[in-house]
Amino acid sequence: MSDSQGIEGLEEARALLAEAERVCVLSGAGVSAESGVPTFRGEDGLWKNYRAEELATPQAFRRDPRMVWEWYDWRRGKIGGCSPNPGHYALARLALGPKSVSIVTQNVDGLHEAAAREVAGAADPSPALPLEVHGSIFRVKCTACTYKIPHRDPVRWETEAVLPKCPVCGALLRPDVVWFGESLDPMVLTEAFDSARNATLCLVAGTSALVQPAASVPLATLENGGSIVEINPTETPLSGMATFSLRGGSGAILPQLVEGLTEAGG
Ligand code: BV8
Ligand code: ZN
């Protein structure tokens, strides 16, 4: 059955979410697309004709650290001008509501966190703070020691001759993100799969589900008897395993999906 806007399965998916005790959300670049953040595989994901996978690697950084720094600054500049969209806010309201919800994101743009802090206001935002399995573009870390700091303002490349160095050991600083070919933080990975395993419903929004191991998080819910609801304008490798795969933008669908489930007694 489709709802007023013809989203096939939305009413049934709302019923499934309403009865779900514990929810795990897995989000990808598509959730931030309506905020103007370039997706990875969309045609807007290119930079100077490099595919993201070519630049987000330790090899690219070894080969040309300045180019990789410039790319991350280009992205920080773009993302810095973006704000959360109704999809981020809907997930924050759901996680700050009566249900036990954990948000696992592949996004490094910080928009889930921004939405959580905004929706929480003076209340504790932590139930809606995401698990950033691929790190954050707004943090840098040392390539040699454990030094790590927030990094919001882009480097002024025309003036900065040298690449940013670690104030502790002098080694090169790099974005605090997980690059292709690099393992995820084992603690973060365990927490992500634990919350998926314990969930009765995994809400998968805006991901092409091609990058491992993140794309396997929803399978932990399935393997434990739970179900998947997917939101994506196009089919993904997870669509066939989802109880409902809602075709449309997360900015439009998520607010409808969580409506009435975010207040106590919802
Ligand atoms: C690792 C941080 C140990 C950096 C990122 C098994 C099989 C095959 C390959 C592998 C494997 N295991 C490991 C690999 C290698 C690799 C991998 O998965 N490669 C893929 C490409 C095949 N994985 C790794 O390297 C991982 N490390 O496994 O270490 C190891 C190492 C080597 C070999 C074995 C084991 C590390 C992966 C993390 C890489 N870092 N980001 C940075 O951001 O700069 S990944 C990055 O790309 C993002 O974080 C995200 O995860 C991914 C992009 O995916 P999506 O978010 O889904 O975005 P995408 O653009 O693809 O899709 C957007 C979707 O949204 C689309 O479906 C679209 O239809 C939809 N959409 C669009 N608009 C909307 C929408 N949806 C809703 N609403 C809308 N409005
Ligand atoms: Zn250092």
Side-chain angles (χ1 to χ4, degrees):
M1 180 174 72
S2 58
D3 79 312
S4 54
Q5 288 166 350
I7 306 281
E8 193 66 34
L10 182 65
E11 282 320 310
E12 295 89 340
R14 273 174 53 74
L16 201 59
L17 180 58
E19 74 207 24
E21 269 139 55
R22 293 176 306 285
V23 177
C24 175
V25 175
L26 175 70
S27 76
V31 167
S32 295
E34 292 159 62
S35 295
V37 177
T39 63
F40 251 67
R41 275 176 188 73
E43 56 284 344
D44 59 355
L46 285 182
W47 182 77
K48 291 187 181 175
N49 304 325
Y50 285 95
R51 276 178 331 99
E53 280 95 354
E54 290 164 301
L55 290 160
T57 64
Q59 298 80 357
F61 191 69
R62 260 194 303 282
R63 209 175 31 246
D64 188 342
R66 172 178 284 275
M67 178 171 70
V68 173
W69 258 101
E70 284 185 22
W71 180 51
Y72 278 94
D73 269 328
W74 173 76
R75 290 171 68 190
R76 280 190 203 98
K78 274 184 99 56
I79 296 170
C82 299
S83 34
N85 67 60
H88 296 105
Y89 291 123
L91 291 173
R93 289 197 305 278
L94 183 71
L96 292 166
K99 277 185 187 304
S100 120
V101 176
S102 49
I103 300 176
V104 176
T105 189
Q106 300 168 77
N107 302 344
V108 297
D109 58 29
L111 292 179
H112 280 299
E113 177 171 352
R117 294 189 186 288
E118 215 176 308
V119 173
D124 168 17
S126 53
L129 293 179
L131 199 58
E132 299 173 316
V133 294
H134 293 159
S136 167
I137 205 169
F138 292 115
R139 270 195 317 269
V140 294
K141 65 180 179 182
C142 177
T143 49
C145 74
T146 57
Y147 179 77
K148 193 183 275 201
I149 53 160
H151 178 91
R152 291 206 69 88
D153 46 354
V155 173
R156 290 173 303 292
W157 288 107
E158 55 286 348
T159 56
E160 293 286 334
V162 294
L163 291 171
K165 296 282 187 312
C166 171
V168 178
C169 73
L172 206 48
L173 292 179
R174 56 162 282 178
D176 182 20
V177 296
V178 179
W179 281 329
F180 288 95
E182 289 184 328
S183 302
L184 280 62
D185 174 323
M187 300 262 286
V188 170
L189 204 51
T190 305
E191 197 178 335
F193 277 89
D194 285 354
S195 59
R197 207 169 291 114
N198 300 332
T200 49
L201 178 74
C202 188
L203 195 48
V204 181
T207 184
S208 56
L210 294 173
V211 172
Q212 297 296 347
S216 300
V217 164
L219 307 183
T221 305
L222 277 188
E223 280 148 19
N224 228 40
S227 48
I228 292 175
V229 167
E230 180 185 50
I231 300 165
N232 197 309
T234 60
E235 179 109 2
T236 77
L238 286 172
S239 303
M241 295 175 252
T243 307
F244 299 107
S245 191
L246 310 177
R247 291 279 164 270
S250 51
I253 293 179
L254 283 169
Q256 297 178 70
L257 199 58
V258 309
E259 203 190 328
L261 302 175
T262 60
E263 310 310 320

